[in-house]
Every structure is written in C-alpha cells, then in structure tokens.
Amino acid sequence: MKFEHFGLGLLKGMTVTFRHIFRHPTVNQYPYQRLNVSRRIRGNELVWDKKRCTGCATCAKACPQGAIEIVTGANPVENRYEVRTYRVDTGYCIQCGLCVESCPYDAIFMGYAYERAKYRRRDLVQENDTLLESKERPKSGYFHPEVAAGLPAQTLLVEKIVERKD
Ligand code: SF4
Ligand code: SF4
C-alpha cells in the first residue's frame, strides 16, 4: 500500500460530492411532479375508435394474450354489421402493441397512461365506452406518427418537469 498520495482519494471523492451538492436534483417528487413520457409509449390501456372499428377481430387474433374479446352481430334496422362488445382485459395485456399494428382500419391505439393500478382484478377490464378516447385517455403515438406529432415532447430533464394541478 502506498501512502505518498494519502488523502488524494478522499479529496477526489469530496470534489464529486461538492459538485453534486450544487447541481439541480435529478429526482422528481412523484406523483406531484412527473416527466412527460415518450409520445410513443405503450401505456397500460388501449384506446378504441368505435366509429372506425368494423368488428373484423384481426386485433383479437393478433393478441398473444387473448386479452381482446369482440362480440358482433347484425343490425337489421340499419342493415349493417355492428360491434356490440369490445372488451380488453388489461390485466392480461402485456402492452406488446400487436393489436394496434394489425388493425387494418386504424381503430385501436395504445393508451398513454401508466397509472392504472386497481384494488380489484375485475376493474382492469375495460369495454365499449370506457375504451373511447377522452382528455383523460389520450391515444399514444405508438405506430401512429400522425398522433405522436400532436403530443407533448418527452421530457428527460428535471427542469422540464410537469407540475400536477391537483
Ligand atoms: S379494432 Fe381494428 S382489427 Fe380490431 S375489430 Fe376493430 S377494425 Fe378490426
Ligand atoms: S397490446 Fe398486445 S397483449 Fe395487449 S391487447 Fe394488444 S395484442 Fe393483446
């Protein structure tokens, strides 16, 4: 062991410590502060466009988890085929995005949310109107650059933290 540089390591360590003391913190006060996530996030929910959906079930067939269930039927009054139930069990969903990629009519999108913890298993199931897009349930730009273009840019720096209003 050499002692000629005794204290040098300690000095170096303290230099690093001091440098970080005066830097802006790199952690945020979640959930009161949060970063914008990627515009192409595969969030833990799906957003369904009821008007565009034909009920072809391509998405359900593409799902490796069997998380999508679709019930269709004839509507004799309007003389058309319609989707009666579009159900997603997000408890089984692995957010792979295959349903989104396979839809030939751009009727299903990954959601933007990542905070959907529930106390009850059944609350993870979403269907019909609970799958529609809203202010609280925006579409993710995953596989849809035209959607991503309208979303806020991802923030990685703590200076760009988004303050929660509530
Ligand atoms: S979401 Fe797309 S793939 Fe799925 S049933 Fe509707 S149109 Fe077909
Ligand atoms: S994201 Fe993947 S696992 Fe989830 S519903 Fe779509 S295909 Fe199934």
Side-chain angles (χ1 to χ4, degrees):
M1 183 182 284
K2 294 181 180 176
F3 290 98
E4 61 263 33
H5 299 306
F6 179 76
L8 191 60
L10 182 66
L11 194 64
K12 278 184 184 170
M14 291 308 290
T15 309
V16 173
T17 305
F18 275 113
R19 214 167 42 227
H20 282 81
I21 281 177
F22 298 106
R23 280 177 66 172
H24 204 285
T26 51
V27 290
N28 58 357
Q29 301 300 314
Y30 182 84
Y32 304 106
Q33 296 176 310
R34 58 193 63 202
L35 303 178
N36 283 330
V37 294
S38 166
R39 294 167 167 175
R40 290 172 286 125
I41 184 176
R42 291 184 303 205
N44 57 7
E45 62 183 1
L46 296 180
V47 179
W48 179 51
D49 190 329
K50 189 177 179 176
K51 290 188 187 132
R52 294 185 69 87
C53 181
T54 62
C56 68
T58 308
C59 54
K61 288 175 197 148
C63 178
Q65 292 293 96
I68 302 175
E69 186 187 340
I70 301 169
V71 180
T72 55
N75 181 337
V77 180
E78 295 179 23
N79 193 28
R80 67 183 177 88
Y81 185 65
E82 66 182 15
V83 180
R84 293 192 179 143
T85 305
Y86 194 102
R87 184 179 297 125
V88 183
D89 189 335
T90 60
Y92 285 115
C93 176
I94 55 172
Q95 292 97 46
C96 66
L98 291 176
C99 51
V100 177
E101 294 177 29
S102 67
C103 177
Y105 301 102
D106 291 341
I108 192 81
F109 300 80
M110 294 308 296
Y112 207 66
Y114 55 91
E115 298 169 306
R116 289 198 59 251
K118 306 286 179 199
Y119 285 106
R120 289 172 301 194
R121 178 73 183 71
R122 64 175 180 272
D123 292 340
L124 292 170
V125 179
Q126 294 182 305
E127 67 175 46
N128 295 351
D129 290 351
T130 61
L131 283 164
L132 301 180
E133 185 182 22
S134 67
K135 195 166 165 258
E136 293 73 38
R137 300 186 77 255
K139 296 170 181 168
S140 159
Y142 174 75
F143 199 66
H144 287 277
E146 75 286 359
V147 175
L151 292 168
Q154 182 172 14
T155 51
L156 290 175
L157 300 174
V158 76
E159 286 79 9
K160 292 183 181 174
I161 271 176
V162 178
E163 295 279 352
R164 272 187 95 162
K165 297 276 188 294
D166 52 359

